[in-house]
Amino acid sequence: MPWLFLAPALLIFLLFKYIPMAEGIRLSLFNVRPFLGDVWVGLDNYVTVLTDERFQSALGRTLLLAFGQTAGSMVIGFALALLLEGTARSLWFVRSAVFLPVVAATAVVGEIWRLLYFPADEGFLNSVLSWFGIGAQPFLDSPDTALWSVMGVGIWKGAPYDMVIILAGLAGIDRQLYESSAIDGASTVQRLRHVTLPALRPVITILLTLAAIRGLRVFTEVYVLTGGGPAGSTDVWMTRVFSLGFERNELGVASAGSVVLFLVTLVLTLVVQYYRKRKEAM
């Protein structure tokens, strides 16, 4: 009976996830030629991916973007969780308002931030900066600032998601621990360091895994905001795969790039899970 109830969801996953995934792995071993027949090339596509300079540059930018978004969203999410922790009825509205960036479509978020990042003096963020005597910034129009601007959007969208998970972890902490530490004379910072953070270790492990995977697979924000430009300064792994597959019609190499990213995220997940279980066993 349980499998009967799970069957519709499993069928959807099979048709739209697992079969396309298997087909992508198959295509990564071929020189894909639509209507002409695919040619077996073995691991040549993977060699092309791993030796291509543009893929290597994209990997560096992807890792930088993933690290920045992961660290930024976790720090801001933790701060928001501490501010919005509690049982007051009025907090539900504030939490809902803060969580809106998560449920908003990424394409819509990207378009809104493109307007906010408008590089002229009339742009919203440049207007705000002018109040402090700071000149107009190019944001997405300069290779020096484009990647950092995209990172800011990722942090803005990811921090509320991290906040909700951290709030769930904070709710499970025994309040007597705070009372005992306060009686012993511990300051607020000391309570955060020696009570809150150790209790949130499992939550932080989960967040690191999810945020790292989310950062490595970033695509929509970059594609909507910059399309990989200017001058390739925001070209990350997934935009490179998209460009090869759908603009240059090199589906075999693009599939190999996707498989490599899948293997990296799989290994990352396994390493984090192993580390978590090892910590729990100690």
Side-chain angles (χ1 to χ4, degrees), residues 185-237:
S187 63
T188 302
V189 175
Q190 290 174 327
R191 289 198 295 270
L192 286 175
R193 179 181 176 183
H194 298 288
V195 178
T196 305
L197 290 178
L200 289 177
R201 184 175 297 163
V203 174
I204 293 175
T205 302
I206 295 173
L207 278 180
L208 280 174
T209 305
L210 295 176
I213 293 174
R214 184 175 66 220
L216 290 174
R217 295 172 56 189
V218 63
F219 170 74
T220 310
E221 300 98 307
V222 177
Y223 186 75
V224 174
L225 288 169
T226 64
S233 60
T234 60
D235 192 21
V236 293
W237 192 273

Side-chain angles (χ1 to χ4, degrees), residues 64-120:
L64 177 60
L65 195 60
F67 177 79
Q69 289 186 354
T70 299
S73 61
M74 286 189 65
V75 170
I76 296 177
F78 183 69
L80 291 173
L82 293 177
L83 290 173
L84 300 178
E85 182 191 13
T87 57
R89 292 184 177 181
S90 59
L91 287 177
W92 73 267
F93 176 78
V94 181
R95 291 172 182 168
S96 300
V98 172
F99 192 71
L100 282 178
V102 179
V103 298
T106 306
V108 175
V109 170
E111 288 296 335
I112 292 174
W113 275 93
R114 283 185 64 187
L115 297 176
L116 296 177
Y117 278 142
F118 190 69

Side-chain angles (χ1 to χ4, degrees), residues 1-45:
M1 185 61 69
W3 288 106
L4 183 62
F5 285 106
L6 290 173
L10 292 176
L11 181 61
I12 292 175
F13 271 93
L14 179 65
L15 292 176
F16 296 101
K17 195 175 186 70
Y18 298 121
I19 292 178
M21 185 183 299
E23 181 65 11
I25 296 174
R26 187 190 72 82
L27 291 177
S28 69
L29 302 174
F30 287 85
N31 176 18
V32 181
R33 303 185 304 171
F35 309 111
L36 297 176
D38 300 339
V39 178
W40 171 267
V41 295
L43 299 178
D44 288 353
N45 289 331

Side-chain angles (χ1 to χ4, degrees), residues 30-279:
F30 287 85
N31 176 18
V32 181
R33 303 185 304 171
F35 309 111
L36 297 176
D38 300 339
V39 178
W40 171 267
V41 295
L43 299 178
D44 288 353
N45 289 331
Y46 292 92
V47 174
T48 300
V49 168
L50 296 176
T51 57
D52 182 71
E53 292 184 0
R54 295 190 62 179
F55 260 117
Q56 293 173 0
S57 300
L59 176 61
R61 287 187 288 268
T62 302
L63 293 176
L64 177 60
L65 195 60
F67 177 79
Q69 289 186 354
T70 299
S73 61
M74 286 189 65
V75 170
I76 296 177
F78 183 69
L80 291 173
L82 293 177
L83 290 173
L84 300 178
E85 182 191 13
T87 57
R89 292 184 177 181
S90 59
L91 287 177
W92 73 267
F93 176 78
V94 181
R95 291 172 182 168
S96 300
V98 172
F99 192 71
L100 282 178
V102 179
V103 298
T106 306
V108 175
V109 170
E111 288 296 335
I112 292 174
W113 275 93
R114 283 185 64 187
L115 297 176
L116 296 177
Y117 278 142
F118 190 69
D121 293 332
E122 298 81 12
F124 177 80
L125 288 180
N126 278 326
S127 297
V128 174
L129 292 176
S130 66
W131 300 343
F132 303 95
I134 301 175
Q137 301 297 312
F139 294 117
L140 300 174
D141 287 2
S142 171
D144 297 327
T145 58
L147 189 65
W148 303 105
S149 300
V150 173
M151 186 184 298
V153 177
I155 294 173
W156 178 83
K157 185 172 175 58
Y161 180 84
D162 293 355
M163 175 200 72
V164 171
I165 297 180
I166 294 173
L167 277 173
L170 290 174
I173 300 176
D174 189 355
R175 299 296 153 179
Q176 293 182 356
L177 296 175
Y178 289 117
E179 296 173 0
S180 300
S181 59
I183 292 173
D184 292 337
S187 63
T188 302
V189 175
Q190 290 174 327
R191 289 198 295 270
L192 286 175
R193 179 181 176 183
H194 298 288
V195 178
T196 305
L197 290 178
L200 289 177
R201 184 175 297 163
V203 174
I204 293 175
T205 302
I206 295 173
L207 278 180
L208 280 174
T209 305
L210 295 176
I213 293 174
R214 184 175 66 220
L216 290 174
R217 295 172 56 189
V218 63
F219 170 74
T220 310
E221 300 98 307
V222 177
Y223 186 75
V224 174
L225 288 169
T226 64
S233 60
T234 60
D235 192 21
V236 293
W237 192 273
M238 284 305 299
T239 56
R240 181 68 182 146
V241 168
F242 178 87
S243 176
L244 286 173
F246 296 97
E247 294 177 0
R248 297 176 54 180
N249 204 30
E250 297 182 17
L251 294 176
V253 180
S255 298
S258 299
V259 174
V260 170
L261 181 62
F262 167 73
L263 293 176
V264 170
T265 54
L266 178 62
V267 170
L268 175 64
T269 303
L270 293 176
V271 169
V272 172
Q273 292 300 320
Y274 172 77
Y275 176 78
R276 180 179 64 83
K277 291 179 179 180
R278 185 177 178 182
K279 282 291 185 180

